[in-house]
Amino acid sequence: MPPTSLPSSAPIGTKRERRKEARPGELLEAALDLFVEKGFAATRVDEVAARAGVSKGTLFLYFPSKEELFKAVVRQNIAGRFAEWRDELESFDGTTSDLLRYCYQVWWERIGATKASGITKLMFSEAQNFPEITEFYQQEVILPGQALIRRIVERGVERGEFRPVPLDYIVHVVLAPMIFLMMWKHSVGACIPDSLGLRPELYIDAQIDNVLNGLLVRPAQHSAPSPSPSSPSTSAPPPRGT
């Protein structure tokens, strides 16, 4: 007697369960693609649903609005990773120069070189038209990112590796090269990749060197020698009237 076969509906049901579990991720991936390609305003939720292979109604089961879908994309790709990055900072065992270099390189690998870097360009382009998502981005990406960089620089100052600097401003100095690369990558660089003859990895190396040489403790300068008594600068002025 042949072995009893499973009901035909069983594997289908299992497949459907797997498909259902995968849908949020598929929707977020499709949304990231379209937000980066078209911007926030021009992206329609029915386009996202179609690219993910589901109906618009199915999309709304997971994300009640386009704004909530965008927030989920940001959390999935950027904001949700700050806890991991903070843990890496606290457990890093090398010098702060090495830590800053590591942060630049990891940022490029995990964000800058990926589609997620297009979110920054989107925010620069459309922030003033969407104050709600701008405030969200400020709270969940910009401020945590600045706090992370600030903590790295503070670490260097506390350990005597970096000279005291105005932290509120040096944070922007450190972040500026990253922002430039993302803006270039998703504007002129998207149309003419070699427009600047720029290799991102070498650009990052140059910026790391530039930032660190500005932060590192400088050797004490030798005091200028005192001028000799016979020096014209210290001799008595000629009598008045001569």
Side-chain angles (χ1 to χ4, degrees), residues 6-20:
L6 292 172
S8 59
S9 60
I12 295 174
T14 303
K15 184 176 179 180
R16 284 176 179 168
E17 286 300 318
R18 289 198 299 267
R19 171 74 173 130
K20 184 177 180 181

Side-chain angles (χ1 to χ4, degrees), residues 114-132:
T114 73
K115 290 178 185 176
S117 60
I119 295 173
T120 298
K121 193 259 184 180
L122 180 156
M123 292 306 307
F124 271 82
S125 301
E126 304 188 60
Q128 67 178 13
N129 297 322
F130 300 98
E132 180 186 342

Side-chain angles (χ1 to χ4, degrees), residues 52-148:
V54 301
S55 68
K56 183 165 68 172
T58 299
L59 183 150
F60 284 130
L61 290 175
Y62 298 97
F63 309 103
S65 67
K66 185 168 75 168
E67 287 77 10
E68 291 304 315
L69 176 62
F70 178 77
K71 291 177 183 179
V73 167
V74 173
R75 289 183 177 122
Q76 171 86 1
N77 290 279
I78 304 176
R81 310 185 76 169
F82 279 113
E84 168 194 349
W85 293 333
R86 283 191 291 268
D87 288 344
E88 288 187 51
L89 187 161
E90 296 303 329
S91 63
F92 194 86
D93 199 32
T95 68
T96 309
S97 294
D98 289 339
L99 174 58
L100 191 59
R101 187 178 301 275
Y102 172 77
C103 287
Y104 269 114
Q105 292 168 343
V106 166
W107 164 83
W108 177 248
E109 293 170 3
R110 299 180 188 176
I111 303 294
T114 73
K115 290 178 185 176
S117 60
I119 295 173
T120 298
K121 193 259 184 180
L122 180 156
M123 292 306 307
F124 271 82
S125 301
E126 304 188 60
Q128 67 178 13
N129 297 322
F130 300 98
E132 180 186 342
I133 65 169
T134 301
E135 175 63 22
F136 160 81
Y137 195 78
Q138 170 81 0
Q139 295 300 321
E140 299 213 13
V141 176
I142 295 176
L143 294 180
Q146 291 176 347
L148 190 67

